[in-house]
Amino acid sequence: MKALVIGAGLTGAVIARCLAEECNIQVTVYDRRDHIGGNMYDYYDEHHILVHKYGPHIFHTNDKKLFDYVNQFAKWNHFKMICRSSINGKITPIPFNFQTIDDFYSPEEAADLKNRLIKYFGDKKKVTVFEVLQAKEEKIRAYGQFLFENDYKPYTSKQWGLSYSEIDTSILERVPLRLTYEDGYFDDKYQALPEHGYTEFLKAIFDHPNIKIELGIEALDHLKIDNNVMLIDGKPCNMLVIYTGVLEELFSLKYGRLPYRSLAFEWKFENINSKQTVPMIAYPQVNGFTRIIEYKKLPKQDVNGTTYAIEFPISYTGARGEEPYYPVLNKKSQILYNKYLTRVKKVENLFCAGRLADFKYYNMDQVLVRALEVCETLKRKYGKA
């Protein structure tokens, strides 16, 4: 038995390593890009600053088993991501917290609103924007409406290219409101960056004699599913195939294209010590772009000058060169995805997993959970005797 893994991102790497190490299977990994790492790929730019080519990534989890897994392949340093939002000319924390109330209310009004929130929500340290918008108290609802109209609504509409009413509520709930002064984007016990970058981390996972990587290969130029049989270059494929790419493309868009949003980056370097006070500032009220990421602070790097990226959300059409970043989750897209999933289950030697193949808005820890689930299935079926 041999295996073909499509995609050299985290999902593909973890599954390839499992097949090679736990099942003693010869694994070939294809990726259409000229590098490994998927969207986690990072590199040092010409100014000697480590940057994330496809947007910022911070590994965060409460699961010690997941953190132990990644520590097998790299040393990880604690990193607390601090973010801000620019609203009405003021820079305020994200997630919004009691400092946000202080930023936009008079001292007397702020004290009153914070007391009302504590009394209304009791011991809760954070709530969703919907809970605040639906509160029985008028002043609490008004606070929620202010944040919704000035941040949540314009930011999500710009990011997704849709009215907020068309977006799955799980997206809007990803960033809560804190009912404390606690700062920091994540609450997880483990928040970290690999000491030498994600690319080196992925290299270590792929570093096994049973794994061969071939870059710059468009797998779908070779793979095809015909009558529930996997073909490779027109002949039946007897290999185990792990597919982590865009699901509908594997089936030649038989039922149509699943909706994604993409990103465009405007990279800039300035010969200054610092561009902004934190690694990421969101700009919900400006036209065009959503946020600015200063990579010199991700992690903090002692170099001259600073590199930053301005992120512009754009439509994804499937054209070559475009990258599908975010699955647009709604009832219509879920129905379409399930049609493709039904087809996947009919192909005996095919396993699909990952953000694109699962059509899920995964964080890195969720990607890892999913990949390890597939690994357990594969070990049961193909593991060493």
Side-chain angles (χ1 to χ4, degrees):
M1 169 70 72
K2 293 184 178 181
L4 177 63
V5 174
I6 310 302
L10 181 59
T11 301
V14 170
I15 296 174
R17 181 67 180 231
C18 170
L19 290 170
E21 192 166 60
E22 303 292 334
C23 305
N24 197 28
I25 289 176
Q26 296 290 321
V27 182
T28 299
V29 180
Y30 285 173
D31 200 291
R32 62 183 175 81
R33 293 170 171 169
D34 61 0
H35 59 74
I36 67 166
N39 286 358
M40 292 167 61
Y41 172 70
D42 56 13
Y43 66 98
Y44 286 92
D45 70 6
E46 60 184 307
H47 308 288
H48 310 291
I49 296 172
L50 182 65
V51 300
H52 301 183
K53 183 174 181 178
Y54 303 99
H57 288 75
I58 294 88
F59 185 79
H60 57 99
T61 183
N62 285 314
D63 190 332
K64 185 176 184 298
K65 290 181 179 178
L66 296 183
F67 196 56
D68 287 345
Y69 179 89
V70 298
N71 272 276
Q72 296 177 84
F73 303 103
K75 179 183 177 183
W76 293 71
N77 296 325
H78 175 73
F79 182 83
K80 185 175 183 179
M81 184 65 165
I82 303 296
C83 302
R84 297 287 183 260
S85 182
S86 176
I87 300 176
N88 297 344
K90 294 184 177 182
I91 303 296
T92 197
I94 301 178
F96 302 117
N97 62 11
F98 279 176
Q99 181 60 50
T100 303
I101 297 175
D102 293 343
D103 288 339
F104 293 101
Y105 290 79
S106 70
E108 295 78 14
E109 292 172 326
D112 177 62
L113 179 55
K114 286 179 283 188
N115 287 332
R116 288 174 184 271
L117 286 164
I118 291 169
K119 184 177 179 180
Y120 189 87
F121 289 107
D123 294 333
K124 284 188 175 183
K125 300 299 183 186
K126 57 184 179 180
V127 293
T128 70
V129 66
F130 297 111
E131 289 178 280
V132 177
L133 286 169
Q134 294 165 6
K136 294 179 180 178
E137 282 210 27
E138 182 180 351
K139 288 188 177 181
I140 293 178
R141 286 200 311 274
Y143 174 56
Q145 194 67 35
F146 169 78
L147 295 177
F148 185 76
E149 292 295 334
N150 288 283
D151 186 282
Y152 285 92
K153 182 178 177 180
Y155 190 91
T156 53
S157 296
K158 182 167 48 174
Q159 177 77 1
W160 297 96
L162 297 169
S163 164
Y164 72 90
S165 62
E166 301 175 86
I167 299 169
D168 191 281
T169 56
S170 64
I171 301 299
L172 292 167
E173 291 173 352
R174 284 176 66 88
V175 182
L177 276 69
R178 296 191 190 277
L179 303 183
T180 66
Y181 280 97
E182 177 67 26
D183 198 4
Y185 200 71
F186 305 114
D187 293 322
D188 303 82
K189 182 176 181 180
Y190 306 101
Q191 303 179 42
L193 292 170
E195 187 167 274
H196 298 292
Y198 286 106
T199 302
E200 293 301 313
F201 163 63
L202 269 296
K203 280 183 182 177
I205 300 179
F206 281 124
D207 185 15
H208 192 281
N210 283 346
I211 297 176
K212 179 178 69 172
I213 298 175
E214 298 187 23
L215 300 175
I217 293 183
E218 178 53 75
L220 296 182
D221 290 342
H222 303 276
L223 291 177
K224 184 180 179 182
I225 296 174
D226 184 30
N227 197 26
N228 300 327
V229 175
M230 178 72 71
L231 303 178
I232 185 164
D233 294 327
K235 298 178 181 179
C237 175
N238 296 320
M239 290 190 291
L240 174 65
V241 176
I242 310 297
Y243 183 78
T244 72
V246 176
L247 187 60
E248 68 271 24
E249 292 179 357
L250 183 60
F251 294 93
S252 303
L253 309 181
K254 180 177 177 63
Y255 304 116
R257 185 172 288 284
L258 286 163
Y260 286 90
R261 290 291 280 174
S262 188
L263 290 173
F265 300 90
E266 186 176 322
W267 289 91
K268 292 182 177 292
F269 173 82
E270 290 188 40
N271 194 22
I272 56 176
N273 186 52
S274 177
K275 174 67 176 177
Q276 53 195 33
T277 57
V278 296
M280 190 275 276
I281 298 181
Y283 291 85
Q285 295 173 319
V286 302
N287 292 325
F289 70 92
T290 49
R291 61 186 186 177
I292 296 177
I293 311 296
E294 186 174 10
Y295 283 98
K296 184 178 180 177
K297 297 181 170 69
L298 193 66
K300 185 177 180 181
Q301 300 173 59
D302 185 16
V303 293
N304 293 323
T306 189
T307 297
Y308 59 94
I310 306 172
E311 293 189 9
F312 297 81
I314 58 175
S315 298
Y316 175 72
T317 66
R320 287 206 175 187
E322 291 182 352
E323 299 292 347
Y325 282 88
Y326 306 110
V328 180
L329 302 175
N330 52 40
K331 290 181 180 179
K332 184 178 178 180
S333 63
Q334 197 60 47
I335 290 170
L336 181 56
Y337 165 72
N338 285 331
K339 286 186 177 181
Y340 284 112
L341 185 60
T342 299
R343 291 292 303 274
V344 169
K345 294 176 180 178
K346 294 179 181 179
V347 184
E348 186 176 355
N349 58 329
L350 173 65
F351 288 82
C352 293
R355 177 178 52 88
L356 300 178
D358 289 340
F359 196 64
K360 292 286 196 311
Y361 193 156
Y362 284 147
N363 292 326
M364 276 188 288
D365 62 327
Q366 295 168 315
V367 170
L368 187 53
V369 166
R370 174 68 173 127
L372 291 173
E373 287 175 352
V374 174
C375 288
E376 288 303 312
T377 300
L378 294 172
K379 284 192 288 185
R380 287 194 296 269
K381 192 169 184 179
Y382 304 104
K384 299 174 186 176

